Amino acid sequence: MMRYFLIALLLTSIAFTQEPPTAPAEGNNAQGIPVDQENSRKARAALDQAIKALGGPAYLNAQDMTLEGRSYSFHRGEPNSYGTLFWRFRKFPDKDRIELTKKRDVIQIFNGNKGYEVTYKGVRDADDKEQLQPYLRRRHFSLDSVLRQWLNQPGIALFYEGQTVAAQKQVEQVTVMNSSNEAVTLYLDFNTHLPVKKSFAWRDPTDKQRNVEEEIFDNYRPIQNVMTPFDTTRFYNGDMAAQAFLTSASYNQGVSDDLFDPKTASISGKKR
């Protein structure tokens, strides 16, 4: 069952590995605007364009999301599975249910800061270090969290870091840093303004090792006025860790809270 839990983590859904940026030096540009203010303004403009490209209000106001597809996991960059079918139900901001295998008989549930695994053997709590914490970290640094939550929080700092190349596309590089000095770097397609890549770093509290997680977004399709990436690839410390390919997606289907209650979770495999 550990293998399936790892696959679920790979779905939760970036590219240079870098430390969080420091603020630009004080000074004035030709228009008399402080350099740091002008830099922040350009970053905000790029992020606003990205949100608009994703669907604007349709993206920001989506209440739930239903996905189907297949995922592949990797170990040290090498594939270690033939792929696993998945059905995923998300209810923003913090409810997630992932059903795995053709029979949909392995279920991962994350509700708030708690996680569970449901199988024919019953319900068990997610292991805190190996299962729950990695999921919560990826959710905290996810693209949706950054664009839908971080940008509305006090103390946010924005850094425009110019044009570069990511995932073979010309992009604008923008870093968002919250009041806890946590940073996420986004790479936004210069032409479409859609997010191409996301990157964040974190330090393991035990061994103090710095780890970098990256995600590539591709094959965007309009679903109910929301541009949705149907292909995603995740990297962990430079090695490919997972790929997920969607076959269908939908929004605002009125996903019930009951789906995220492990006591009432069903493994019948019936389509909802």
Side-chain angles (χ1 to χ4, degrees), residues 47-67:
L47 292 169
D48 287 344
Q49 286 181 316
I51 292 172
K52 182 178 179 180
L54 286 165
Y59 168 73
L60 293 175
N61 298 326
Q63 299 299 306
D64 60 60
M65 185 178 189
T66 301
L67 308 173

Side-chain angles (χ1 to χ4, degrees), residues 166-236:
Q168 300 180 336
K169 294 181 174 67
Q170 189 74 19
V171 299
E172 293 182 287
Q173 181 176 332
V174 177
T175 290
V176 181
M177 181 180 290
N178 64 20
S179 59
S180 299
N181 289 326
E182 298 170 324
V184 173
T185 298
L186 303 179
Y187 302 84
L188 311 173
D189 189 297
F190 184 76
N191 295 308
T192 68
H193 308 297
L194 290 168
V196 169
K197 212 167 189 180
K198 171 179 69 74
S199 176
F200 70 92
W202 58 280
R203 198 170 296 279
D204 190 292
T206 302
D207 61 18
K208 308 304 179 183
Q209 178 179 342
R210 181 176 179 273
N211 300 288
V212 177
E213 300 195 39
E214 302 172 303
E215 192 168 7
I216 296 174
F217 309 99
D218 200 7
N219 190 19
Y220 277 92
R221 302 181 190 179
I223 304 294
Q224 295 167 243
N225 298 318
V226 178
M227 291 299 290
T228 305
F230 269 54
D231 301 349
T232 59
T233 303
R234 278 207 313 105
F235 293 85
Y236 185 84

Side-chain angles (χ1 to χ4, degrees), residues 31-180:
Q31 289 73 34
I33 302 174
V35 171
D36 54 349
Q37 291 185 19
E38 175 63 14
N39 181 275
S40 180
R41 185 197 65 77
K42 291 180 66 175
R44 170 63 73 168
L47 292 169
D48 287 344
Q49 286 181 316
I51 292 172
K52 182 178 179 180
L54 286 165
Y59 168 73
L60 293 175
N61 298 326
Q63 299 299 306
D64 60 60
M65 185 178 189
T66 301
L67 308 173
E68 295 183 26
R70 181 180 289 271
S71 65
Y72 299 83
S73 59
F74 298 78
H75 178 66
R76 295 182 178 178
E78 297 295 330
N80 61 4
S81 75
Y82 293 105
T84 300
L85 294 172
F86 70 86
W87 289 258
R88 185 179 183 186
F89 305 87
R90 295 183 63 194
K91 192 166 186 177
F92 300 109
D94 62 358
K95 293 180 173 60
D96 202 349
R97 175 186 174 116
I98 303 168
E99 302 177 1
L100 300 167
T101 82
K102 187 175 182 179
K103 296 181 179 180
R104 301 169 71 166
D105 55 2
V106 177
I107 302 174
Q108 311 298 337
I109 293 175
F110 300 93
N111 194 335
N113 292 326
K114 296 182 178 180
Y116 312 90
E117 181 176 70
V118 184
T119 68
Y120 70 92
K121 294 182 178 180
V123 180
R124 72 174 183 86
D125 291 342
D127 178 86
D128 184 68
K129 181 179 180 181
E130 299 297 328
Q131 301 165 342
L132 181 59
Q133 291 307 316
Y135 172 85
L136 295 178
R137 181 173 55 249
R138 289 178 187 135
R139 187 178 71 190
H140 178 64
F141 289 101
S142 69
L143 180 66
D144 290 335
S145 292
V146 172
L147 296 182
R148 292 167 58 116
Q149 297 177 3
W150 286 34
L151 292 182
N152 297 320
Q153 296 172 353
I156 282 291
L158 306 178
F159 304 93
Y160 183 85
E161 299 170 277
Q163 295 183 28
T164 185
V165 176
Q168 300 180 336
K169 294 181 174 67
Q170 189 74 19
V171 299
E172 293 182 287
Q173 181 176 332
V174 177
T175 290
V176 181
M177 181 180 290
N178 64 20
S179 59
S180 299

